[in-house]
Amino acid sequence: MSEHDISGKKVAFLLTDGVEQIELTSPWEAVKAAGGVPTLVSPSSGTVQGFDGVEKGETFTVDLPVADASADDFDALVLPGGVVNADFLRVDKDAQAFTRAFFEAHKPVASICHGPWLLIEAGVVKGRDLTSYHTLATDLMNAGANWSDEEVVVDQGLVTSRNPDDLPAFNDKLLEEIAEGEHEGQHA
């Protein structure tokens, strides 16, 4: 059982085909174990294909199309990584708008690995402290973020980590931020 009780809190997981499977399943299980209610939101319908590195993994059922999703219905957002997943999401206008709405509502957002590509396209990284998979460092700095190579970085409700090795710290900070609730410093 987690030290952070998020009973009844609704958490959107935004992803599509090519998601790094462990970056979905590990935080998902952490949210459930702490009493939260995870929902898989995607531009895709039916199922999405998970990956373990470059190998196909499991498929996951989509609960809600992102075009029909509203940040008002959730307490927090999680953006798992995976190169293909993140590359598809960052050009999806509905995914951009859905993500930006969490920042506008001062709600916690957690993004790992390649997930922060979507944060750039949503226009929410300028002046923020964060980390990511190392290959995104230049992209994030060019978008105005303060990038650092750390296990987990928390900035006013925004939680970021680098890769699957960071999941224990990522999950802990994700739950902590959800338990704390809205952060006035979290803004678009």
Side-chain angles (χ1 to χ4, degrees):
M1 185 66 186
S2 167
E3 64 183 278
H4 306 293
D5 181 9
I6 62 167
S7 292
K9 299 271 189 178
K10 295 180 180 159
V11 182
F13 282 73
L14 178 58
L15 57 127
T16 192
D17 292 321
V19 68
E20 183 66 39
Q21 186 166 308
I22 191 70
E23 294 172 359
L24 164 61
T25 57
S26 177
W28 183 282
E29 290 305 319
V31 164
K32 282 177 62 175
V37 182
T39 300
L40 198 159
V41 179
S42 180
S44 306
S45 58
T47 60
V48 294
Q49 178 66 57
F51 276 77
D52 181 7
V54 296
E55 301 296 321
K56 277 189 177 182
E58 297 172 45
T59 56
F60 302 92
T61 302
V62 175
D63 296 314
L64 181 65
V66 70
D68 299 337
S70 170
D72 295 342
D73 297 333
F74 296 97
D75 298 293
L77 173 64
V78 178
L79 303 171
V83 179
V84 174
N85 165 64
D87 201 42
F88 281 139
L89 283 182
R90 70 178 174 161
V91 296
D92 186 283
K93 297 296 183 198
D94 292 323
Q96 292 170 14
F98 184 62
T99 300
R100 187 174 178 80
F102 281 87
F103 286 84
E104 291 168 346
H106 314 292
K107 293 179 179 182
V109 175
S111 184
I112 188 167
C113 200
H114 288 79
W117 260 342
L118 179 55
L119 301 179
I120 293 170
E121 298 300 331
V124 296
V125 299
K126 190 172 185 177
R128 303 300 296 268
D129 296 330
L130 49 81
T131 192
S132 66
Y133 193 69
H134 66 93
T135 60
L136 275 65
T138 301
D139 295 346
L140 286 159
M141 289 185 285
N142 285 344
N146 305 312
W147 188 89
S148 59
D149 184 11
E150 296 177 58
E151 181 180 54
V152 64
V153 175
V154 181
D155 179 358
Q156 297 287 323
L158 174 60
V159 178
T160 51
S161 285
R162 303 169 299 191
N163 58 55
D165 293 341
D166 299 339
L167 280 165
F170 178 78
N171 292 345
D172 183 60
K173 289 299 182 185
L174 161 67
L175 297 177
E176 182 179 319
E177 294 303 301
I178 295 170
E180 287 176 8
E182 293 181 8
H183 294 74
E184 284 308 311
Q186 179 79 306
H187 54 82

